[in-house]
Amino acid sequence: MPPAGGFDQGWSVNDPCFFKDEARGWILGRVTKVVGVGRTATLSLASADGKVTAERDASAIEAASARAREGVEDMVALDELTEATVLSTLRVRYDRKQIYTNVGGILVAVNPYETIANVYGEDRMAGAAAADAAFSGAAPHPFVMAEQALRALDRDRASQSFVISGESGSGKTETCKFILRYLSYRSKRRFELAGTPRGGANALEESVLLSNPVLEAFGNAKTLRNDNSSRWGKYTQVYVEPSSGAIKSVGITAYLLEKVRVVERARGERNYHVLHQLVAGAKKQKKGDAGLALAVGLGDAQTSHAVLRDTATSSAAIGVDDAAQFAVTRDALRKLDVAQPGLFGALAAVCHLGDVCFESVEAEGQDAAAAIANQDLRMGRKAEHAADAAARALGVDRAQLEEALVSRRGAGVRT
């Protein structure tokens, strides 16, 4: 067999190789015919599954070593790290439902877009926590990386960082949740092993996990590529006691929120989850709920308000129960002691304000000014104007709201 990446020794029939296919990328195959010698040879090729045949110059082919074909856990062990060997390793492991692969200290994850059993249970967390110093036998996993970080924190007494990156839909949000779940598990485990009551620690650990549905509701939305895409970046800081792994505090900094999505989206995309949840779930909550008192007046359907309207997408079409998710979001807010009346009133106002129309008003001797039009964009039964509904949701006077919307403040003077 020729060495990986080299062809001076020539190719032989049945040599395993990687060749590039326009539709499938780099694929594993074998040589079926050789015409010529060395790099100038022309090779006839067949994929391993027999579905693709091709002819390629020898210089465009890569040798496929046994390690590149077997799907190693750590790609550092490959004879040569190339695009072909990396993709082949990931493909082999993905077909085995092994979605995690190491490249030294880097963990590569391939989103399976399905639920895989026995991958994130407490037994896997216990296995990572019990791993030996070399982590021998520990399969690639976010739990293992989290455990390595905790041990490095204790050993080096220096902060540890995870950088989670990837394209939309690759699983960044889920991976972050898995790491936080493991850190929470290790923090609780410290008290369980010691046989001591956890006291306030339990509430802190639960808060770490409860923050996820809230952050996703307010910061995630459906895009053309991902039904739960994070439209913001976040920097999460978890302060951990080095020797025990106990969580002391957590801080989350948000940045790059996609504000324009509130008023404009590509066809087939949705607004932020929480707005859809509020419209779907508010009417289904118990009557007299003070938390939703200011949200009364919202339309019954997703098409009732312009900021939610999208004829190409519905909740049913993407398999989302917005009303059920609203209950989850509310429960998390309640447990996190977040005041809900004003919050839901502000969200309802966003829905109403998206239906407000403006018109130009001209007065003799004055420049044209903006004013709220008598018509609005709401669909269905209209008990009141969208601006009145927004003012009521915000708890302000209609005149005050209108002044704020059609005038601006410059150098301390409204114009």
Side-chain angles (χ1 to χ4, degrees), residues 258-386:
E258 188 186 29
K259 297 178 181 179
V260 69
R261 176 167 294 272
V262 175
V263 294
E264 184 177 5
R265 298 155 301 285
R267 182 176 176 82
E269 297 192 349
R270 299 211 313 167
N271 215 317
Y272 289 101
H273 293 328
V274 70
L275 297 177
H276 293 275
Q277 291 175 10
L278 181 63
V279 169
K283 299 279 181 154
K284 294 186 178 182
Q285 301 295 314
K286 294 180 180 179
K287 292 183 178 180
D289 188 330
L292 293 177
L294 293 176
V296 174
L298 290 173
D300 294 316
Q302 299 286 328
T303 55
S304 299
H305 302 281
V307 296
L308 305 180
R309 203 170 296 147
D310 187 342
T311 56
T313 306
S314 66
S315 300
I318 61 174
V320 173
D321 187 338
D322 286 315
Q325 290 301 313
F326 182 63
V328 173
T329 301
R330 289 206 69 195
D331 183 60
L333 289 169
R334 179 180 57 80
K335 291 179 178 178
L336 291 170
D337 294 326
V338 176
Q340 298 187 22
L343 174 62
F344 291 132
L347 291 173
V350 170
C351 294
H352 294 307
L353 288 173
D355 296 327
V356 174
C357 295
F358 297 88
E359 61 184 2
S360 177
V361 178
E362 297 185 4
E364 186 176 351
Q366 298 181 12
D367 293 334
I372 293 178
N374 291 328
Q375 299 296 319
D376 59 36
L377 297 176
R378 290 191 296 174
M379 298 177 65
R381 185 174 64 85
K382 302 177 182 179
E384 59 184 340
H385 193 279

Side-chain angles (χ1 to χ4, degrees), residues 230-273:
S230 298
R231 309 315 300 159
W232 60 308
K234 63 180 177 181
Y235 177 50
T236 304
Q237 294 174 293
V238 183
Y239 297 91
V240 177
E241 186 178 80
S243 58
S244 67
I247 296 175
K248 294 301 182 182
S249 65
V250 179
I252 298 176
T253 303
Y255 59 96
L256 296 180
L257 182 62
E258 188 186 29
K259 297 178 181 179
V260 69
R261 176 167 294 272
V262 175
V263 294
E264 184 177 5
R265 298 155 301 285
R267 182 176 176 82
E269 297 192 349
R270 299 211 313 167
N271 215 317
Y272 289 101
H273 293 328

Side-chain angles (χ1 to χ4, degrees), residues 86-268:
V86 167
L87 293 177
S88 175
T89 299
L90 295 177
R91 182 179 289 114
V92 169
R93 294 182 61 78
Y94 182 85
D95 289 341
R96 298 176 190 160
K97 298 191 182 300
Q98 296 172 329
I99 61 173
Y100 294 113
T101 307
N102 286 329
V103 188
I106 300 172
L107 180 66
V108 180
V110 182
N111 194 335
Y113 290 101
E114 64 175 298
T115 300
I116 301 177
N118 304 319
V119 177
Y120 305 108
E122 193 161 315
D123 57 330
R124 293 299 294 265
M125 290 189 278
D132 60 27
F135 288 91
S136 56
H141 200 285
F143 294 162
V144 174
M145 293 205 75
E147 179 62 29
Q148 290 173 334
L150 286 173
R151 295 187 188 185
L153 177 68
D154 185 32
R155 180 186 66 245
D156 303 333
R157 301 290 163 154
S159 297
Q160 306 296 309
S161 299
F162 294 95
V163 178
I164 305 173
S165 62
E167 63 179 348
S168 179
S170 60
K172 300 182 295 295
T173 299
E174 292 301 310
T175 299
C176 181
K177 289 194 290 187
F178 293 143
I179 290 175
L180 290 175
R181 183 192 301 175
Y182 184 80
L183 296 178
S184 179
Y185 164 80
R186 282 282 272 107
S187 181
K188 291 187 291 185
R189 184 170 177 266
R190 170 232 181 173
F191 294 95
E192 292 169 354
L193 292 176
T196 56
R198 286 175 284 186
N202 189 41
L204 179 59
E205 292 144 4
E206 185 180 17
S207 296
V208 173
L209 301 181
L210 285 173
S211 66
N212 288 320
V214 176
L215 294 174
E216 287 190 19
F218 283 83
N220 291 24
K222 179 201 179 299
T223 65
L224 295 177
R225 299 186 62 186
N226 182 1
D227 288 350
N228 189 36
S229 178
S230 298
R231 309 315 300 159
W232 60 308
K234 63 180 177 181
Y235 177 50
T236 304
Q237 294 174 293
V238 183
Y239 297 91
V240 177
E241 186 178 80
S243 58
S244 67
I247 296 175
K248 294 301 182 182
S249 65
V250 179
I252 298 176
T253 303
Y255 59 96
L256 296 180
L257 182 62
E258 188 186 29
K259 297 178 181 179
V260 69
R261 176 167 294 272
V262 175
V263 294
E264 184 177 5
R265 298 155 301 285
R267 182 176 176 82

